[in-house]
Amino acid sequence: MGVLLQAFYWDCPQIENCEHRWWDLVKQRLPALAQAGLTALWLPPANKGASWESMGYDPYDYYDLGEFDQKGTIRTKYGTRAEYLDAVRALQSSGIQVYAETVLNHRIGGDEA
């Protein structure tokens, strides 16, 4: 049996004063998470949303994890693709499983022509 933590809540990057750096905060807190006995983390949607302030539940580009200049920013609400992958690798290296939130049934539609 294990313990899963939902590692986000609505407006978490803004409330924790780390907008566009959430992945770094998760990685920074890794020792405390592991010491608490957590065996898995559920991470928020990593893809680019409708705007720079999107929590990811209005997907714009499922393949942009914070590496393309779209919707007014390169970073997502949580950070860059490199920071995301770095946090995931660090979690996995410490024996913590990672579950990625993916929102497939919400879409904002295409850009204006």
Side-chain angles (χ1 to χ4, degrees):
M1 183 180 299
V3 180
L4 169 74
L5 173 70
Q6 179 179 332
F8 63 101
Y9 51 91
W10 204 255
D11 286 336
C12 56
Q14 181 179 4
I15 292 168
E16 298 293 334
N17 196 29
C18 64
E19 277 194 293
H20 312 290
R21 299 182 335 245
W22 189 254
W23 306 134
D24 288 339
L25 181 65
V26 169
K27 185 179 171 191
Q28 174 188 341
R29 294 192 176 165
L30 175 57
L33 297 169
Q35 185 176 10
L38 296 170
T39 57
L41 285 187
W42 169 15
L43 299 179
N47 57 272
K48 185 75 54 83
S51 72
W52 66 270
E53 55 192 9
S54 169
M55 292 292 292
Y57 288 89
D58 52 354
Y60 173 73
D61 184 345
Y62 292 109
Y63 301 99
D64 184 354
L65 305 181
E67 61 188 314
F68 303 116
D69 191 0
Q70 302 184 94
K71 295 300 181 183
T73 183
I74 292 174
R75 295 174 164 273
T76 68
K77 180 84 165 181
Y78 308 105
T80 66
R81 178 180 187 263
E83 293 163 347
Y84 176 66
L85 294 176
D86 191 41
V88 168
R89 287 182 188 117
L91 290 163
Q92 291 174 331
S93 291
S94 70
I96 295 178
Q97 297 175 350
V98 177
Y99 293 87
E101 174 83 88
T102 304
V103 183
L104 299 177
N105 62 336
H106 300 184
R107 292 183 179 81
I108 65 162
D111 291 329
E112 293 181 32

